[in-house]
Structures are given as C-alpha cells and as structure tokens.
C-alpha cells in the first residue's frame, strides 16, 4: 500500500473518475480557448494598427535653391529631435521620378514638362511611441521654423483618425476582453463547483471519519490546479490549431498574422492555474462549511 | 465519557427523533441500544459523533459539549471515536485498504505503521483477500465488515456501532461481536444499536431501550432515577 | 418460473460470484437463500433481475433467457418482478410515496388507482405517516420498508428480496415476513436471501444454501439430483 | 399525490437540486453570452461597413457649356440604370461654394478667382447591393459614354479596398463565429453530461424498477430544453446589459451601435433550446446504454 500524499491523491482522482475529470478539463480548456481566440484577434488588430502607424510621417517641403550644406545640417538637427526616428532627403529629381512611377494618372501630364514643378522635401519618420497626432504636430511646428522650409504636411486628418481608432480599439478590446474573461471565470467556477458537488458525499464521509478541513482540501486544490493548467495547455493547443488553419486558408493576409509570444502563453497558463485553484478553494470551502 | 441530559432532537422537517433523553455512560462500559425501527437509536448515535446537534438539552462526549463544538473541535472529537454507520458510508472511489487506512491517517499515525495495522484489522474481520477491491465490488456483509474494520483501526476511546451485524450471518456476527468485546476489554466504551435480541439476552450487558424517541428502559440504572436525572 | 443451469458468474475484476449453479423454482414456491457473507446470494438474485448476466451457463426467468435479453425485454421482464435490494436503492430526490408510485407507473397502471394502491402498501409496512418524507429523512429500517413496499406494490409474479429484514426489529420482521407469505399465497414466487436462521428454521420453506458460490444444500430436491441436473 | 408527467418531473428537478440546476443554466447562459458578444461585435462591424459603403459614389464631370435640357435628360437616363439609387447635379457655382466651405486650406487660393476653375458634375449614388468595385466600374463606363462627360471618378482604390475588407470580415467572422459556437456547444454538452452523471444512480435505479428508456428520457429531455431556453434568455439579458453599459460609456460612437433584432434573438433562443435538448439526448442516451 502506498502512502497517501495530496499529489498522489489528486492524480488518482483522474484515474478514478476519468470521464468527469476529462469533461472538467475540456470545459476549462474551451472557456480559456474563448479568451485565447479573442486575444488572437486583439493582438493581430493591434499589430495592424501598428503597421498603419508606421506610415505616420512628417513631410517638409524645401524652398527651391536651398544650399546642400544647409540641407545636411538641418537633416542632422531634425534627426536629433526626441520624437524623430530618421530623416531622409528627397531631391526634386527624386520626387519627379517617384511621381512618374507611382501616380499613373499624372504620367501623361508630367511627361513633357520643361520645368520640374515638384519641390524637394525632408521625409521625417517618427519613433514608435511618438506616432500620434500631438507629436506629429509638435515636430511639424518645429520644422516649420526652419527658414528654408516652404510648407509642412503630416496628414493631420489621417493621424487624428488613427488616434481615434486606437482609443476606440483599446476601449472595445478592454470591455469585450473583460467580458470574455468573466464568462470564462464563471464557467470554470461552475465546472469546479459541479465536480465538488459530485463528491459531496465523499467529503462528508471524510469529515465524519475525523479529517480536518485542511486535510480534505489539499488534494482538491491540487486537482483544481492540475485541471486549470491542463485546460490552459488545451486552450493554447486549440488556439494554435485555429491560427494555423486560418492562416493557411487565407493566403493573402495570412502571412502577416502573429501568434502569442512565450510570455503571453505563460500568462495564459498562470491564469488557468489560478482560476482552477481559486475555483477549488471557493467550492470546497462551501462544501466543508455545509457538512 | 458520554452524558445525555434532557436531550431532544427535532429534525428540520418537523419529525421528532428524540424526546427528553437522559443517561450516562461511564468509562469502560458496553451498552446496547434497542428499540423498534424508528425509535431513535441512530439519532442518539449521530448526536454522539456530532453529525447532528441536539435541538434542546445537553450532550457531552469525552469532555466536549456537542452543541458548542467549534470547527476545530469536530475533527478532534471524531478522531477519538470509531463509528460503524448503519449505511456503511465507505469512500466509493477508494479501495478497501485505502478506506481503512484513511481513518488512521487522519489521526496522524506514523506512516510506516499504517499498512500493518490496516492488514491486521482486515484479517480480523476476514477481509484480507479483498484489500484491493472497491466497495461496490463487495457483498453487503463484506461492506459492513469494512465499515467495522475502519471503526476499529485507530483504537478509539469510544466505539459507536449502528446495527453492525444487520448484513452478517450468524458466524460472522459472533466474530464481530467477539471483536467488540475485546476492544471493550481494553477500556473502550462501546455503544451498539442492534435488533439482534439474541445477542442482547445472551450477554447481559447494559441495555437502553427506546420507544418513540424516549428511553423506556435502562438496565443500568434504577428506572425512576433514570427518568429523574 | 426460474431455472439456473450450470450458471457461473465471474466479475470483471476476477472475483468469483457463482460457480456452476443449477436449480429450478416452479410457480408458487417460497425459497430461502442462505449462506455466509459473500457466499453468492446477492449474485443469484442479481442474475434473476438481470442486473448481471451469467458468464457461463443459462438463467431463465419467466420465459426470458437472461443472457439473451434485448434492450426492450429488460423493462418487460423487470415489470413482472418486485425487487427488494440489499442496499435499498431508493430515488433520493423523490418522496416515499413517489418512490413507490414510480414502480407502479412504469407498469402502465391506471393513474387514478395509483394513489390508493400506494397508500395501501405503505400502510401495510407501517409507513403511511412518512409518505411525504424523503429517503434520507428516514431511519434505516424505515428505508428498508419503503424498498419492500415498492417491491410489493405492483403485485409481481416473482418477488426477489435480498436480506429484507436486516435493519428491522423482531416485530417488524414478523410483519414483513407475514406480508411475503400472503403475497406468496396469492401465487407469487418469493425468493428471499436471509441470515435470519430462526425464520428459516421456523417456517420449513425450501432452503438453498450457498457456500463459496456453489449450491451446497437444497432442501427442495434430492441432493444428488440437484448436483446432476 | 399528483400524477407524474414529464413536465412536472422536469420542473421538480429544479426544485430538488436548485444549486446544480442553477449552475447548469449559468454555464449554458454564459457560453451563449460568448456567442452573443461576438455576434454583437459582428453586426456592428457589418453596420459600420454598410455606413462606409453608402459613400460609394460615381462622380461624372460635365463639359462646360452643356445645355440644361441635355443635363436633365441625362439625369433621367442615369437614374434608370439598374445599379443607380439616385443622381444629383452639382452646378459649377455649387461646386465652388462647397470647395470654399469644406477645403479650408484652399480657401485663400479660391477667394480671389475671376474664373471658376471647377466643373459641374453628376453625383451618382448606387443601390445598396451595387456598392462594390465591379458595379461602380460598370456605371462609370456607361456614364463615360455620354459625349458631354469630361471625366468620371469613383475612387477605384477606395472601393476596391472596401471590397477586400468586406470579404476579409466575412471570412474572419465566419471562422471565429464557428469557433465560438463550437466552444459554446462543447461547454453546454459538458455541463449537461455532468448533470446526467450526477444522476447516474437515479437513472440506474429507474431502469432496475422496470422503466423503459423512453420513459426515463422524457423528463431529462424537457429539463435540457428548459435549461437551454433559460440559458438563452440569460445570455440575451447579459448581452443587453453589456451593450447598454458599453453604449453609455462611449458617448462618441455609442449612438451608432445596434442591438439584435427580434428574429435574431428568437434564433438565439432556438439555438439554446436545440443545444440543451441535443445535449440531453446524447448524454442520457449514453447513460442508458451504460446501465
Ligand atoms: N435526517 C432526518 N430528517 C428527518 N427525520 C429523521 C431524520 N433521521 C431520522 N428521522 C426520523 O427520526 C426518527 C428516529 O430515527 P432513527 O434513525 O433514530 O431511528 P432508529 O432507531 O435508528 O431506527 P432503525 O432501527 O430503523 O434504524 C424516525 O421516525 C425517523 O423517521
Ligand atoms: N460487483 C462485483 N464485483 C466484483 N466482485 C463482486 C461483485 N459483487 C459481488 N462480488 C463478490 O462476489 C462474491 C459473492 O458476492 P454476493 O454479493 O453474491 O454475496 P452474498 O451472499 O450476497 O453476501 P452478503 O450476505 O454479504 O450480502 C463476494 O466474494 C463478493 O466480493
Ligand atoms: Mg437506525
Ligand atoms: Mg448480499
């Protein structure tokens, strides 16, 4: 006969009632899967927003005939701004070439020009944390201060809209994410409560034979933690499967999609474990008081 | 050791279990509880092991007052008791030996001694060969004997047995009764509810008879005194 | 009505319940099954009501061959039987009267007649006052009598009773036994497993004794013939 | 004593085991709530796309000096196109006025103009079902055929991007929607299976007393259906609560949000009921075979 330890006792439960244990793990797993799915959508949406934000750019048009030395000093000055990631100078010729390449509709119009109507410009990319309307405006103002700068553009409308979209996405994500998490917690709690109810008779017998509450609780808590962590693993596996299927089925945008990182997955497991443990504490506690 | 003083038990659904029951069981005694079905025998026993609490009056068991037990007192009291339940109450997902060992583990017995003590008591009730079986793989009488083994295993100060031979044949009944006598000889109080009048008549131990929740006869005391105290 | 032919029952865990058991019970008979705890009495009864199937040999009950019962035959057979289980098996979320009525409803009895028949049989076992109680609100003996009432209520062709008096006092035992005799007088086969040797000796009904899963004595037939058939 | 009917028996279950029944309903309700939340996001996203699509418009610039009669005949002709919802004619003066009002940056430039450089135009709105790149192009081609039309614009890029977004949203919606539905079905199935396991003993006793499978199944099926429909109602209530809280907390975009229609809610209830019923059929069936 082997000695009774909480861990052995907890593991035995899975062998003694495989169906019930399996169902609990499935239920926990699928609840966490819900959160996982939502999380995947959220992080991919966030990434899409970041990709968009990379295009936040301040363009400063330079007066015709500004000397090259002024340009290169200014370029260094601008690069030193705290918000600025890098600066590239586009000459008049480069601008015309680009216009011919990119603006098909204007190709005809520009073909026979004697004089290049396009100005040279600085294209200023911002640091990731400075890609919002406020920073862009600040940079624009400062650049406008250079005497050789004719005009500054940074697509104010567009940047402001991006800002709004970001805030909106954050609020929606938070609210819906919390709602999903609440749903998962309730379902997991319910599942654990049901399995404890299932064993109410065993618990009451243990009490009648003289076991302390702590002694009874041990294996249940471990069991809850094991179920939680198993459910978490199951959920990650299902998320991965869904992700893979989805990515291969939508060839176009699929490659751009991202999965959770290691830390996020770990957090997921911890979340599952804590819920499994917490659910057990609460529901065993209730049962112990009831008997 | 055990003292009932005007104890009354009325169940939540209004049914009356016990009415104004008073008696006292000193150290070392062997007492039979008799009476018709529904007379209140199990009700008395469940007050002793604190599954129920008296609605009125007082019940004292080995120094604890049952109606005032704190949450930590309950396990402490129960570890001094051995209980054979009328409906056995075995852990269905644990084997026979695990069921018996469990009662020993909760008392904090030394781990190394447990397997030996378990096998010894299982042998005493004739179930050594069924140690690895689960309760539902046993016959009725075998389950009852597991319940008896579990009650005996921790050498309790008080042994409470509710109809412990109801599912046993005559030979097994004699064997179990012999075990109870032996443990009583070692100083343990034994309180046994039974319908086996043959046993009661043959042995001449103290007998408390119940009827409709009242004590109607107590061979251990002058009847008038019993009613008064 | 009932016929065992070289019936053997080995349980999935390897335990042997019955070994090569043969006997025959004609219409109208009253038979005691005796034997030590674990001898195989309940195993025989569970083959009769088809909870178990024989691993070898043949068991025939009222025209049905147990090992070849189709899914629809099982309810049909069981509706002709009344069974008192050793562990009662009452529906815990149903009241006493609902438990008894249920056995009547499944036979398709006319709804209007059910309440009267239920109350009559509850009165017979002395439980009319507990009709609205739930099983766990009853004493052990009261639960056993509910199980008996449920087995009697549908006037079965065969009554199977597993230790039906184990939790009853002498008076209640006599009362229940009287009921069984009456229903037997009405033509019902009664098969009763018991440890109450007094009852067996006093009445002189046919007795089949088991030991280690084998029939070792059958007062109803010449012993040699019993072993051969 | 009252007669036993499947309905009464099913209802009694809720009184006999209120905690377990309540937990099952909660579990079903929260699972459906998950789907409901996703559904809300989906229909609101769809609505946002529709709002965007309303701006799909074909603009035909009209040659200077086209006679009024020609204009009004053409206007009627275009309105008769199968794809077209309505047509409005913007005169040169109206165009200039609008430019002054809307294009703040150009206000200075246009202030002192002697000649109005802006052409008159037809603004053609399309029917809802024709707001895609193909239809817009078809209309544009036909309009280009009019001799007095100088140029046609319909923001090809933009319409094409909208098309892509729509397809993408449909695929994402379908995949994630199905995933959520699968999760809900599994959790609900698990819940019902656990409650049946809880009553395995009762079922086996019923069988031993001679009840047919059909007889035993009846109350369980009804119970499952009742749980399903209650869960559905609970889910709708929670969706409504979430929706209301969300709408009031995001004042800006909140008013534009929409809730489910009556038919959608009905569908939801039917879905819950079918799952409750189906789960019971399966799990009671298994139990009946097992005994
Ligand atoms: N939990 C309960 N709830 C309500 N009534 C109860 C409960 N337990 C017992 N009773 C009632 O109290 C009375 C005494 O019951 P008790 O179990 O003490 O009888 P008993 O002497 O042990 O009978 P038996 O020999 O049949 O076991 C009975 O009438 C019974 O119905
Ligand atoms: N479900 C089962 N699984 C395994 N073994 C079993 C099972 N049921 C009974 N047995 C074994 O079969 C043998 C006969 O059991 P049975 O229940 O028929 O005895 P019994 O004569 O009714 O005894 P009792 O008088 O104690 O009720 C016993 O050794 C028992 O352990
Ligand atoms: Mg009792
Ligand atoms: Mg038996």
């Amino acid at each position: 006969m082997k000695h009774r330890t909480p861990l052995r006792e907890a593991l035995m439960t899975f062998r003694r009632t495989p169906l019930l244990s399996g169902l609990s793990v499935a239920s926990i797993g699928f609840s966490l899967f819900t959160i996982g799915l939502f999380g995947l959508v959220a992080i991919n949406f966030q990434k899409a927003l970041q990709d968009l934000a990379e295009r936040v750019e301040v363009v400063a048009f330079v007066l015709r005939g500004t000397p090259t030395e002024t340009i290169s000093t200014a370029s260094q000055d601008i690069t030193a701004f705290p918000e600025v990631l890098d600066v590239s100078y586009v000459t008049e010729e480069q601008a015309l070439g680009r216009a011919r390449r990119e603006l098909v509709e204007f190709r005809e119009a520009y073909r026979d020009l004697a004089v290049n109507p396009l100005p040279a410009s600085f294209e200023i990319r911002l640091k990731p944390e400075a890609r919002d309307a406020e920073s862009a405006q600040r940079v624009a103002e400062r650049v406008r201060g250079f005497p050789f700068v004719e005009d500054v553009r940074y697509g104010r409308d567009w940047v402001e809209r991006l800002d709004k979209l970001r805030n909106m996405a954050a609020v929606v994500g938070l609210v819906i994410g919390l709602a999903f998490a609440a749903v998962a917690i309730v379902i997991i709690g319910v599942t654990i409560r049901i399995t404890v109810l299932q064993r109410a008779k065993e618990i009451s017998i243990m009490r009648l034979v003289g076991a302390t509450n702590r002694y009874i609780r041990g294996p249940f808590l471990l069991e809850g933690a094991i179920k939680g962590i198993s459910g978490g693993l199951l959920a990650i596996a299902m998320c991965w499967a869904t992700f893979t299927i989805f990515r291969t089925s939508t060839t176009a945008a699929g490659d751009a999609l991202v999965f959770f990182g290691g830390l996020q997955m770990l957090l997921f497991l911890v979340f599952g474990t804590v819920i499994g443990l917490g659910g057990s504490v609460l529901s065993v506690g209730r049962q112990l008081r009831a008997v | 050791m055990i003292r009932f003083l005007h104890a009354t038990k009325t169940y939540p659904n209004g049914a009356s279990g016990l009415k104004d029951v008073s008696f006292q069981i000193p150290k070392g005694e062997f007492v039979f509880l008799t009476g018709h079905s529904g007379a209140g025998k199990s009700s008395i026993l469940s007050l002793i092991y604190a599954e129920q609490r008296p609605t009125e009056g007082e019940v004292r068991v080995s120094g604890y007052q049952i109606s005032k037990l704190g949450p930590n007192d309950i396990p402490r009291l129960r570890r001094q008791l051995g209980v054979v339940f009328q409906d056995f109450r075995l852990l269905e997902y644990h084997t026979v030996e695990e069921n018996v060992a469990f009662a020993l583990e909760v008392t904090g017995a030394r781990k190394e001694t447990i397997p030996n003590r378990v096998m010894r008591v299982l042998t005493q009730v004739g179930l050594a060969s069924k140690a690895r079986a689960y309760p539902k793989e046993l016959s009725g009488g075998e389950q009852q004997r597991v319940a008896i083994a579990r009650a005996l295993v921790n050498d309790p100060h008080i042994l409470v047995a509710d109809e412990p031979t109801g599912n046993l044949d005559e030979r097994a009944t004699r064997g179990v009764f012999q075990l109870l006598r032996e443990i009583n000889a070692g100083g343990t109080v034994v309180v046994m509810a039974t319908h086996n009048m043959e046993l009661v008549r043959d042995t001449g131990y103290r007998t408390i008879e119940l009827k409709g929740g009242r004590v109607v006869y107590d061979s251990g005391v002058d009847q008038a005194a019993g009613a008064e105290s």
Side-chain angles (χ1 to χ4, degrees), chain B residues 67-190:
Chain B
S67 51
K68 290 179 182 155
L69 284 178
N72 293 326
D73 294 333
I74 295 180
R76 261 185 233 135
L77 166 64
R78 286 179 182 161
R79 279 184 236 158
Q80 301 181 22
L81 306 179
V83 184
V84 184
F85 300 94
Q86 194 169 9
D87 51 358
F88 314 155
R89 307 211 189 164
L90 303 175
L91 300 169
E92 66 171 321
Y93 296 119
H94 292 72
T95 62
V96 166
E97 64 181 5
E98 285 167 356
N99 264 281
V100 176
F102 188 83
L104 207 47
E105 284 159 4
V106 298
T107 64
R110 284 185 36 232
K111 292 236 184 263
E112 314 82 66
T113 68
I114 291 178
N116 280 338
R117 290 174 69 179
V118 168
M119 279 320 285
R120 203 187 57 215
V121 68
L122 282 178
T123 310
Q124 284 178 326
V125 298
L127 280 182
S129 65
K130 297 281 182 186
R132 295 280 156 90
Y134 286 91
K136 65 175 157 219
E137 297 168 353
L138 298 181
S139 81
E142 287 164 349
Q143 289 179 28
Q144 190 155 42
R145 283 178 284 158
V146 177
I148 293 165
R150 181 179 61 185
L152 294 176
V153 74
N154 62 338
D155 293 323
H157 298 180
I158 300 176
L159 186 85
V160 173
D162 199 349
E163 202 85 66
T165 60
N167 286 275
L168 298 181
D169 56 283
E170 289 182 349
R171 195 185 59 179
T173 298
R174 278 195 306 277
V176 165
F177 190 63
Q178 190 52 38
L179 280 176
L180 298 186
R181 287 174 92 133
E182 281 167 19
I183 197 171
N184 175 244
T188 297
V189 171
V190 177

Side-chain angles (χ1 to χ4, degrees), chain A residues 61-75:
Chain A
F61 296 103
V62 176
L63 279 177
R64 200 164 294 264
T66 308
T68 326
E69 308 87 74
T70 321
I71 297 294
S72 66
T73 338
S75 184

